[in-house]
Amino acid sequence: MSFLSFLSDILDRFFPPAPESKPTLSIGEIAAANDNFDILEAALSAAGLADTFTAPGDFTVFAPTDAAFVELASNTLGLDVAGKTETEIATLLVETLGVETLTDVLTYHVRAGSAEVSDLQAEGTVTTLLGATFDVNGTTLVDADPDVENPDFIAGLTDIQATNGVIQAIDRVLLPIDVAEAMVRPTIADVAGSNDSFEVLNAALAATGLDAVVDDRDASFTVFAPTDDAFRKLAADLNLDVTHLDDADIAGALVAALGAELVTDVLLYHVKAGGASVAELQDSGLIETALDGARLGIDGTELIDADPEIANANFIEGLTDISTANGEIQAIDRVLIPLDLGEPTGGIIKGTHKKDILIGSGGDDIIFGRKGNDIILGGDGDDYLVGNRGRDTLVDDDGDDRFVGGFGADTFDFTNLSGDNIVRDFFWRDELLLSRDDFATEQHVLDAATVTKRGLKIESGEDSVLLQYVHKIDADDFVLV
């Protein structure tokens, strides 16, 4: 035995090393007692994870300090935290991210099993309780968000031993996703439902079932949103007296007068695929709307629709570029019209709620059957025929006409087929009347029907009927007379 070994044995015998002290506090208790982790403690409570880190177990917790959470709130999420307490900041984070996303973020800060910094650096990759991983590169932790500065271990606040694991303090919050995309923001439908300027729009969206469309967080739209005053101007243009109605009831009056199908068309004319600012819209100049084949023009602050007689809409200053989770809202001061509602050669003809016979004037007419089993005859112009409720018969005449049967088993009479016509809602109970002068046999009808992007088109010479969104018919769908 060497002299040094002998000396070491003597020293160990008479001066044994002090026993290592064991930790007495859990991870949760240490965080609660340390002023650096007030927001972490509050966030764990909000996510229902506080008990996890006071109970027995074995974890490594990468613990963001209060300053790290403030950095996340103010610089990453753009929240105003001035003058707010740590608890208020934690509450703001919960409201902004949502409990589910916040829970994911917090479990991304935990791995099973105790590990000191040197162990983590040697391993290089940490698999978290979320199931996602991050890398350890020296003192830096490389997370999943490419746009936010990565955290670093904080010297003097690492390898903190607890009864149920180890705490490693870090100076930024670890992000398992692009957190900006996960922020809980209102959808277009949320804004329409909460802003007093859009009561009619909100009711109209609900009446036509389009509220679910603009509430879809996976979609992206630009909505040209008419205010309540804009809808009152439309009612006046249609000679509808709504002066006695509250804003929320005007939508119902418009649906009753125009029919749900036409109101749906009008609303679709206010929607563009993809979010766009006013500046981007002005640069494009021409907008393809969600209404098939219908476009809008943009000239400065003015939106140019399909009606040449009614005043065009304008953007409303202070109510544009409203950013939502699924696009942009651009408020406008008039309702956009996808067809000519003017009366230079024709008129607006409305039936009662009984059985009506409505005949076009010879100009470009808009004819509404309302309730009852109506007979609606187009005139010589380019007419818009709407049956609405009941078993209606809509009869073609000269011109390029549009037909909306509405609810009920309707008959579309094209025995005098003329022009390029569109049928908006040809359902299984509806039928076409066709002339043997145009189609000698049923097979001739089927042979004349071709599928297009817009639907099934039946042609006879230069004249045609387009059954919009229909892709197939059989002999039960038409009658030859």
Side-chain angles (χ1 to χ4, degrees):
M1 177 182 294
S2 68
F3 175 75
L4 291 177
S5 297
F6 173 76
L7 182 60
S8 176
D9 287 343
I10 295 296
L11 291 174
D12 288 342
R13 184 179 302 175
F14 291 100
F15 304 100
E20 292 184 8
S21 59
K22 293 184 178 180
T24 59
L25 298 177
S26 67
I27 291 171
E29 290 168 333
I30 292 173
N34 192 314
D35 291 340
N36 289 300
F37 304 123
D38 289 340
I39 298 178
L40 175 62
E41 182 190 5
L44 289 170
S45 296
L49 296 173
D51 292 344
T52 301
F53 300 110
T54 55
D58 189 27
F59 306 102
T60 300
V61 174
F62 302 88
T65 61
D66 292 340
F69 278 107
V70 169
E71 180 75 18
L72 171 69
S74 60
N75 290 342
T76 302
L77 303 180
L79 304 175
D80 182 9
V81 298
K84 288 183 170 57
T85 66
E86 285 82 0
T87 300
E88 289 170 338
I89 293 172
T91 300
L92 189 60
L93 288 171
V94 172
E95 292 173 348
T96 303
L97 296 176
V99 173
E100 183 177 351
T101 298
L102 180 63
T103 302
D104 285 350
V105 170
L106 292 174
T107 53
Y108 189 59
H109 286 73
V110 185
R111 62 155 265 176
S114 302
E116 296 189 352
V117 168
S118 58
D119 299 324
L120 297 167
Q121 291 169 329
E123 293 171 4
T125 299
V126 174
T127 300
T128 69
L129 293 188
L130 182 60
T133 63
F134 61 82
D135 293 335
V136 179
N137 185 3
T139 62
T140 300
L141 290 70
V142 183
D143 63 18
D145 194 312
D147 302 317
V148 179
E149 185 177 351
N150 288 313
D152 283 293
F153 292 115
I154 299 176
L157 279 177
T158 57
D159 297 343
I160 301 173
Q161 302 296 317
T163 57
N164 56 351
V166 178
I167 295 175
Q168 310 290 0
I170 54 178
D171 63 359
R172 293 282 191 281
V173 176
L174 288 164
L175 301 176
I177 51 175
D178 186 342
V179 74
E181 294 182 357
M183 292 174 64
V184 176
R185 301 166 62 200
T187 63
I188 293 169
D190 292 331
V191 173
S194 62
N195 192 314
D196 290 341
S197 296
F198 303 124
E199 287 189 32
V200 184
L201 176 61
N202 183 54
L205 289 169
T208 56
L210 293 175
D211 53 338
V213 175
V214 293
D215 198 33
D216 184 358
R217 291 182 177 274
D218 294 327
S220 178
F221 306 104
T222 299
V223 171
F224 303 97
T227 61
D228 295 338
D229 287 342
F231 277 103
R232 287 189 178 275
K233 292 174 185 175
L234 173 63
D237 292 332
L238 297 174
N239 297 316
L240 297 176
D241 182 10
V242 296
T243 55
H244 61 292
L245 296 178
D246 293 333
D247 289 336
D249 297 325
I250 293 175
L254 289 170
V255 171
L258 304 180
E261 294 288 345
L262 181 52
V263 172
T264 301
D265 281 355
V266 170
L267 292 176
L268 290 173
Y269 193 53
H270 289 73
V271 179
K272 168 195 172 303
S277 66
V278 168
E280 290 169 332
L281 295 167
Q282 290 168 331
D283 286 343
S284 65
L286 190 64
I287 307 301
E288 295 284 350
T289 73
L291 179 60
D292 191 23
R295 294 178 172 181
L296 284 173
I298 307 286
D299 184 8
T301 64
E302 186 177 23
L303 293 84
I304 304 167
D305 61 18
D307 192 306
E309 305 300 322
I310 295 178
N312 287 321
N314 281 272
F315 293 114
I316 299 176
E317 187 176 356
L319 277 176
T320 57
D321 294 342
I322 301 173
S323 183
T324 74
N326 60 344
E328 300 285 330
I329 294 177
Q330 312 294 355
I332 54 178
D333 62 0
R334 275 191 172 271
V335 177
L336 299 168
I337 307 299
L339 68 160
D340 188 348
L341 286 180
E343 302 183 56
T345 62
I348 300 174
I349 302 169
K350 295 179 288 185
T352 67
H353 294 295
K354 300 178 181 179
K355 180 177 180 179
D356 299 307
I357 299 176
L358 305 172
I359 304 173
S361 67
D364 297 338
D365 299 307
I366 303 170
I367 309 174
F368 304 108
R370 294 192 178 180
K371 293 182 180 179
N373 301 330
D374 304 314
I375 299 174
I376 305 176
L377 292 80
D380 295 332
D382 297 335
D383 303 315
Y384 201 120
L385 286 66
V386 182
N388 210 335
R389 298 181 183 274
R391 296 174 60 90
D392 303 313
T393 300
L394 294 83
V395 184
D396 184 35
D397 208 327
D398 294 337
D400 300 334
D401 302 321
R402 291 190 67 182
F403 299 81
V404 180
F407 301 101
D410 303 309
T411 298
F412 299 91
D413 186 343
F414 291 101
T415 53
N416 182 30
L417 180 59
S418 175
D420 294 323
N421 304 282
I422 299 175
V423 175
R424 175 70 166 81
D425 60 345
F426 189 77
F427 300 124
W428 66 273
R429 295 181 300 168
D430 300 331
E431 68 177 5
L432 300 174
L433 286 186
L434 300 171
S435 173
R436 292 189 183 274
D437 292 337
D438 296 313
F439 308 97
T441 66
E442 292 177 347
Q443 189 59 46
H444 287 152
V445 177
L446 299 176
D447 291 342
T450 57
V451 177
T452 71
K453 289 183 179 180
R454 299 178 64 191
L456 195 73
K457 191 171 187 179
I458 304 171
E459 295 181 278
S460 174
E462 296 182 355
D463 304 311
S464 66
V465 179
L466 174 68
L467 304 180
Q468 211 165 21
Y469 311 123
V470 175
H471 301 290
K472 182 180 180 181
I473 61 170
D474 58 35
D476 293 331
D477 294 318
F478 58 88
V479 175
L480 286 176
V481 296

